[in-house]
Amino acid sequence: MTIIYNRCSMNPSNFSYCNCILGAIYVISTPKRISRIIFGKDRFKEFIGNLNVVKLTEGGEAEKSVREVRLYLEGKLKEFQSKVDLSSGTSFQRSVWRELLKIPYGKVKTYSEIARKIGNPRAARAVGNAVGANPIPIIVPCHRVVATNGFGGYSCGIEIKKKLLHIEGALS
């Protein structure tokens, strides 16, 4: 299957999807890296609507990553091999997203801890915004970041965040 739509700065070329315990998950990739994970058919359609004469073909790197996501959700994968394309973010966002990649499976960090790790200890709120803008949830594990006094938010919904933390054993 090939989908031809509009333009996007990250030059996506492939997509793949799976239906799983979290609903429909779509993975978008450039020729060599994963650039986006989208929860839900409606959000995928919205993403497609924002493209401009870009041809998306089912398969490629996206298909490999969908297999990894499925294994992760089944509790059979703890470390992703997928390469990610973080170029859609600002330099601050990319620094936060790279820090998220360092959080081990089954562990959580607070927004304040991430702010300190990136050398900007007073930027917890800005870290929260960057975490919320993460284009590659699950693989770039933004669900592992919590507020000092609770769960914090999650761009895909707090129930999904809780399910992901439960899969990892970080939430009983």
Side-chain angles (χ1 to χ4, degrees):
M1 172 201 270
T2 299
I3 300 175
I4 299 176
Y5 289 97
N6 309 338
R7 174 185 118 256
C8 181
S9 62
M10 67 183 159
N11 298 318
S13 61
N14 296 108
F15 79 98
S16 190
Y17 70 96
C18 66
N19 287 306
C20 61
I21 62 169
L22 303 178
I25 295 179
Y26 293 82
V27 177
I28 313 298
S29 68
T30 62
K32 296 185 181 183
R33 298 184 182 276
I34 301 308
S35 56
R36 188 168 299 274
I37 291 181
I38 301 169
F39 287 80
K41 190 173 187 174
D42 290 340
R43 286 186 177 182
F44 179 68
K45 285 181 180 179
E46 182 181 326
F47 172 79
I48 294 298
N50 291 327
L51 296 176
N52 206 0
V53 192
V54 169
K55 180 178 173 181
L56 289 181
T57 304
E58 195 166 355
E61 289 300 311
E63 188 173 326
K64 293 175 190 174
S65 290
V66 161
R67 279 190 230 117
E68 285 191 329
V69 167
R70 187 181 302 272
L71 288 171
Y72 165 81
L73 293 172
E74 292 170 358
K76 298 176 183 174
L77 181 78
K78 294 183 178 183
E79 190 173 317
F80 290 93
Q81 299 303 309
S82 299
K83 291 180 173 44
V84 294
D85 177 356
L86 301 177
S87 66
S88 66
T90 65
S91 62
F92 179 80
Q93 288 172 328
R94 289 191 309 269
S95 71
V96 170
W97 299 338
R98 284 190 298 270
E99 198 59 40
L100 299 181
L101 288 166
K102 296 176 186 176
I103 304 172
Y105 181 95
K107 303 292 183 193
V108 295
K109 299 278 184 189
T110 65
Y111 298 102
S112 297
E113 288 174 304
I114 299 297
R116 281 192 299 277
K117 289 278 191 180
I118 64 168
N120 203 338
R122 295 173 24 173
R125 189 168 298 209
V127 165
N129 289 333
V131 168
N134 172 21
I136 313 172
I138 298 178
I139 294 175
V140 177
C142 52
H143 60 279
R144 296 179 188 157
V145 183
V146 297
T148 305
N149 59 354
F151 283 105
Y154 192 62
S155 63
C156 304
I158 197 70
E159 289 307 312
I160 290 178
K161 182 175 189 169
K162 288 178 180 179
K163 286 179 183 178
L164 295 172
L165 292 173
H166 182 73
I167 288 167
E168 295 186 16
L171 180 67
S172 12

